[in-house]
Amino acid sequence: MVAASARNHEGSDTVTYATPGHLPLFADLLFTAPADGTYTCVLQGTAYSSLTGSYHLTAVAGKTWLEADDGDRVGAGWWQNPACESADSGGACTYVGTGPARRDAWVFYDDGTPSRRWQAHPDAVSVSAQANLELTTCYHGTASCATAMQAHPRGKNAVVDARFEFIQLGTTGHACRTHSTTARRTVTDDAHHAVGYSFLTGLPVDPACGTRDFLMRIYVKHVSGQTVKIDGVQSGVTSLTNGIAFNNFG
């Protein structure tokens, strides 16, 4: 299993970084061992560029790490959306924007992701959920979007609203308790690929709902600017948009 986050570096003088010149990236992965044994986890950083010159990444001491929980996260669940190759020559990706793109979309819900319910453990006192949503701007001439989705020249940028929801279902299969967090995101054409992180922690499991079943989804609505692609699984293995649910026992 592979999970990744990507973003173009916007330069040392950008105003979008908390620390000038320092671009933080986080990639979360829930690994389920197929059998008892010893497994190796790797944190890999790669610099890609079609421009001439020498480019590199620097692992900053004290600020670069691979953090792993070697305890058994009993009953944890993993979501990832469908295949979406970089150039999307097969038209498999989901887009939100203008023209032929959708105006909005539900990630993990109506984007071709297999329908999935997650059941909280009977002994869990609460649950937590998190998700990484990676978006790519589709400016004219990019190699990362279908040609039909390229509506504006580079520099237009994009604004989207995103709402992360973790829903406890009732006995009829409909929403009983909805937990959510929202964010308005600007994705610049300089960044081009940009991942956003959402968290909902310590959510109570309401016994009045009659089930311990939960549904995860992310609502994405285009506000202005470039059409954006919702990145998915690439090369059949690398997940760029994904979610995790946990049981909390203490």
Side-chain angles (χ1 to χ4, degrees):
M1 294 183 64
V2 181
S5 295
R7 179 169 174 152
N8 288 351
H9 198 292
E10 296 176 67
S12 60
D13 59 348
T14 184
V15 297
T16 62
Y17 298 161
T19 303
H22 291 241
L23 169 61
L25 287 173
F26 302 87
D28 295 318
L29 174 69
L30 175 67
F31 173 67
T32 302
D36 291 345
T38 301
Y39 297 86
T40 300
C41 295
V42 176
L43 178 64
Q44 178 178 329
T46 306
Y48 295 98
S49 178
S50 59
L51 302 176
T52 58
S54 177
Y55 298 89
H56 65 276
L57 293 173
T58 300
V60 181
K63 295 184 178 180
T64 303
W65 69 92
L66 172 63
E67 182 179 35
D69 181 355
D70 61 1
D72 185 5
R73 282 281 192 174
V74 176
W78 171 262
W79 285 256
Q80 63 187 37
N81 58 340
C84 171
E85 299 299 336
S86 180
D88 192 27
S89 57
C93 301
T94 299
Y95 298 83
V96 295
T98 57
R102 300 168 58 166
R103 302 302 175 263
D104 55 15
W106 290 95
V107 179
F108 309 140
Y109 189 68
D110 74 350
D111 60 353
T113 304
S115 178
R116 143 145 225 237
R117 295 183 183 183
W118 177 76
Q119 188 173 77
H121 192 278
D123 297 330
V125 296
S126 66
V127 296
S128 298
Q130 62 189 61
N132 294 356
L133 171 67
E134 179 128 4
L135 304 174
T136 292
T137 60
C138 298
Y139 52 78
H140 283 164
T142 179
S144 299
C145 298
T147 302
M149 299 297 175
Q150 300 174 24
H152 303 287
R154 183 184 175 99
K156 185 77 171 178
N157 303 328
V159 178
V160 299
D161 285 339
R163 183 172 72 246
F164 177 48
E165 296 185 349
F166 199 51
I167 304 167
Q168 185 176 355
L169 302 175
T171 54
T172 63
H174 296 92
C176 177
R177 295 287 180 269
T178 299
H179 307 276
S180 65
T181 180
T182 61
R184 173 159 290 188
R185 293 179 53 192
T186 297
V187 183
T188 67
D189 287 331
D190 285 342
H192 189 35
H193 315 285
V195 60
Y197 311 99
S198 299
F199 303 88
L200 291 165
T201 60
L203 308 176
V205 182
D206 188 346
C209 290
T211 81
R212 299 176 72 84
D213 294 343
F214 285 81
L215 177 75
M216 178 186 290
R217 62 187 185 181
I218 309 171
Y219 179 64
V220 184
K221 180 181 179 180
H222 182 259
V223 176
S224 64
Q226 303 283 13
T227 290
V228 296
K229 180 180 72 175
I230 300 173
D231 290 302
V233 175
Q234 294 189 354
S235 303
V237 64
T238 302
S239 174
L240 295 176
T241 294
N242 41 66
I244 311 176
F246 300 98
N247 293 291
N248 301 318
F249 295 101

